[in-house]
Amino acid sequence: MPQLPQDKANHFIYGLAIFLVVGFAIDAVAGVGAAAVFGAGKEVYDRVSKKGCPETLDFLATAAGGVAGYLCTYLP
């Protein structure tokens, strides 16, 4: 089984953490939205600041963390 690169794993964990904070403070849908918005914002920041390398897969990994949190919240 292929391993997930460390960078993508970090994005996933951050997306999950954002979901947990916002999801429990407001609601689960807001948590997923916040993870997606923060993921997109980070990639825009990377592009504009030239301090990082913007990648679509980084955004998707962050959003996937939020979606995973949402699914774990609502699965029996």
Side-chain angles (χ1 to χ4, degrees), residues 1-75:
M1 183 167 175
Q3 294 217 348
L4 189 64
Q6 183 67 41
D7 179 54
K8 304 303 181 264
N10 287 341
H11 278 272
F12 183 88
I13 296 298
Y14 288 130
L16 179 59
I18 291 165
F19 168 81
L20 290 172
V21 170
V22 176
F24 286 109
I26 300 174
D27 70 11
V29 174
V32 173
V37 168
F38 274 88
K42 168 65 167 79
E43 299 314 309
V44 168
Y45 172 79
D46 285 349
R47 179 176 296 274
V48 170
S49 71
K50 308 267 193 256
K51 292 184 179 180
C53 181
E55 294 183 35
T56 302
L57 290 178
D58 286 351
F59 161 72
L60 292 175
T62 306
V67 170
Y70 181 85
L71 292 175
C72 289
T73 301
Y74 287 101
L75 288 178

